[in-house]
Amino acid sequence: MISEIVFIIFVLSQDAVEGTFEGGGNFVQPVTEDGVPTKGCVKSDIFDQGWNLLPEMHFDDCTIVSITNAKMGDEEAVKLAKAINKMKHLDSLYLHYNRIGDTGFSAIGTSLRGRNMYNINFRKNVLGDKGILDLGLALRRMTRLTYINLSGNQIGNGGKILGKTFRDCKILREVYLQDNYMDDEAIVEILNGLAKWTEKKYLTKIILGGNKFGQKGCMSIASGLGKLTELNSVDLSNSALDKQCIAIMSVSLYKLKKLSSLAMNNCHLESKSLKVLSYTISGHNRLRQVALDGNAFKDEDLFLLGKHVLESPAIQKITIHGGAYDVLQRLFPFLFGYSTAQLVEDCANDISRKTAACELLQSSGALHTPTGSL
């Protein structure tokens, strides 16, 4: 109960909808875009302790619903769908960290048809292909959707319906689809949908890692990212990214002039992949954070990366935690030698590039950058 209330307060503050005082001290009631007073509702506003719906008067004016980490299953979600039918001005729905499956989300999807939502967060449930197909029919009508989080579910090939959804979302800002089971076909459709509106000036963050796509899906991501020119954060962690895919992706990443954060943890990156990414890092003017944990890099590869860190005008943080040997080097450098990965990390942390770690990297030879950058 307390956590739900705290979350609602956070959501309200994030969206700048808390009440304010005007000139003479009059309180200004926060309102939605439609001029309706904003009201955040949690579980106790809609259900009694036995998950029975309260009378409609308690929740018909809810504009934000947040029932998170409440062990809500399909049966309770079906009841919530009935309540949603009464909420004429609902524009944000947060149901993450529950146990809702296809039956529950199919009911919720039906109740959301004809709605034009702003925020959807169904993270960490058991939403599968049947549920996402029914939910997708409702999502396709949400032209003002700005935030969607479906990560940590069981969406597979059915995720391809999201491609049709995203074609109409002209102001979408953040997309979280990681840790599902989406295959090549689903990923290709999603990237095609996102790239439909190449003039978008809103999409800033996309997380797609931890799915089951192969090279075809990876190549779609690699080429598609370059069309999403406003992205500032890309996370493809826990995906198999081969060197051919990285070669194309590096060009797309270089086109993202506002990119500030890149994560490719546990991606089975090869030596040639790191070499290509190194040039992207040194040539990018806005890229500040790079996460490459869990990839098995050789020391010579890491030294090359370090050289490019020295040349980077923006990089401020790199994480490259490797396997067991890297851990031993970090803990016992007097026995196993200094961790090259830690050397690169320490140099990246100081934008002046004047630390001892940077001096060690510099002393191992000058960086020769080939003519013509990415």
Side-chain angles (χ1 to χ4, degrees):
M1 175 61 183
I2 293 176
S3 63
E4 290 178 342
I5 294 174
V6 170
F7 182 79
I8 280 292
I9 292 173
F10 171 76
V11 170
L12 295 178
S13 63
Q14 285 293 98
D15 292 335
V17 295
E18 66 273 303
T20 57
F21 286 90
E22 253 181 359
N26 296 320
F27 185 75
V28 179
Q29 172 67 42
V31 296
T32 67
E33 187 182 73
D34 302 322
V36 178
T38 298
K39 180 181 178 181
C41 295
V42 294
K43 175 186 172 184
S44 59
D45 296 310
I46 303 170
F47 297 98
D48 64 18
Q49 292 184 349
W51 286 99
N52 299 303
L53 286 176
L54 295 173
E56 178 182 332
M57 67 184 71
H58 290 269
F59 55 75
D60 62 347
D61 56 349
C62 295
T63 61
I64 301 171
V65 169
S66 174
I67 304 178
T68 66
N69 198 24
K71 300 181 180 179
M72 174 185 277
D74 283 337
E75 183 178 351
E76 294 80 17
V78 170
K79 293 179 181 179
L80 176 62
K82 294 179 180 179
I84 289 174
N85 285 326
K86 308 294 184 181
M87 301 175 188
K88 301 178 181 63
H89 302 288
L90 181 68
D91 61 26
S92 297
L93 183 57
Y94 303 93
L95 300 176
H96 44 294
Y97 294 103
N98 281 298
R99 303 170 180 174
I100 308 171
D102 287 341
T103 300
F105 278 119
S106 291
I108 289 172
T110 300
S111 71
L112 290 176
R113 289 183 188 179
R115 305 298 182 94
N116 206 355
M117 306 284 284
Y118 283 116
N119 303 300
I120 295 284
N121 191 340
F122 298 157
R123 181 186 182 191
K124 289 286 185 181
N125 280 279
V126 284
L127 170 62
D129 282 349
K130 176 62 171 63
I132 194 60
L133 289 174
D134 292 333
L135 191 60
L137 294 175
L139 293 173
R140 286 183 66 178
R141 303 294 181 182
M142 298 181 185
T143 57
R144 64 182 186 183
L145 188 67
T146 61
Y147 172 97
I148 184 167
N149 192 332
L150 302 177
S151 63
N153 279 282
Q154 298 177 5
I155 305 169
N157 180 263
K160 61 188 178 184
I161 195 172
L162 295 173
K164 296 179 180 178
T165 296
F166 295 149
R167 284 190 178 97
D168 295 324
C169 297
K170 298 182 182 180
I171 61 171
L172 193 61
R173 294 180 182 178
E174 298 185 17
V175 176
Y176 300 80
L177 300 175
Q178 72 272 25
D179 300 328
N180 279 285
Y181 297 89
M182 288 185 280
D183 59 12
D184 284 339
E185 186 179 9
I187 293 296
V188 169
E189 286 297 317
I190 288 170
L191 264 295
N192 286 342
L194 289 172
K196 174 68 176 178
W197 297 100
T198 54
E199 74 274 16
K200 283 183 192 176
K201 300 189 181 302
Y202 300 96
L203 186 62
T204 60
K205 187 170 187 177
I206 184 168
I207 304 182
L208 291 172
N211 280 287
K212 301 300 180 182
F213 57 83
Q215 188 179 46
K216 184 178 179 180
C218 186
M219 296 296 276
S220 177
I221 294 171
S223 58
L225 286 178
K227 300 176 183 178
L228 306 174
T229 56
E230 298 300 310
L231 283 175
N232 61 40
S233 181
V234 173
D235 190 336
L236 300 172
S237 298
N238 303 307
S239 304
L241 308 178
D242 62 29
K243 57 187 178 184
Q244 290 85 1
C245 181
I246 290 294
I248 295 175
M249 191 178 299
S250 64
V251 177
S252 290
L253 293 173
Y254 192 76
K255 292 179 180 178
L256 303 180
K257 299 304 181 182
K258 296 183 180 180
L259 185 68
S260 63
S261 176
L262 174 66
M264 293 183 177
N265 298 314
N266 304 304
C267 286
H268 310 288
L269 296 179
E270 305 170 58
S271 294
K272 290 184 178 180
S273 297
L274 183 60
K275 181 177 181 180
V276 171
L277 288 173
S278 296
Y279 286 108
T280 301
I281 289 171
S282 62
H284 210 292
N285 292 326
R286 295 284 293 274
L287 188 59
R288 293 182 176 85
Q289 297 185 31
V290 176
L292 300 171
D293 292 335
N295 293 292
F297 297 130
K298 299 177 182 178
D299 272 4
E300 53 264 36
D301 303 327
L302 293 172
F303 268 112
L304 175 63
L305 174 61
K307 299 293 189 180
H308 285 274
V309 167
L310 288 168
E311 297 295 313
S312 168
I315 200 73
Q316 296 177 17
K317 183 177 181 180
I318 290 183
T319 56
I320 332 170
H321 290 78
Y325 190 68
D326 179 55
V327 173
L328 290 174
Q329 285 184 309
R330 290 171 187 263
L331 291 175
F332 309 107
F334 52 89
L335 291 177
F336 298 95
Y338 202 87
S339 165
T340 306
Q342 187 171 9
L343 197 69
V344 176
E345 290 176 355
D346 290 348
C347 181
N349 287 340
D350 182 11
I351 194 67
S352 73
R353 311 288 187 244
K354 294 181 180 179
T355 63
C358 292
E359 291 177 2
L360 285 172
L361 290 173
Q362 186 70 56
S363 65
S364 62
L367 173 63
H368 298 288
T369 304
T371 304
S373 57
L374 291 173

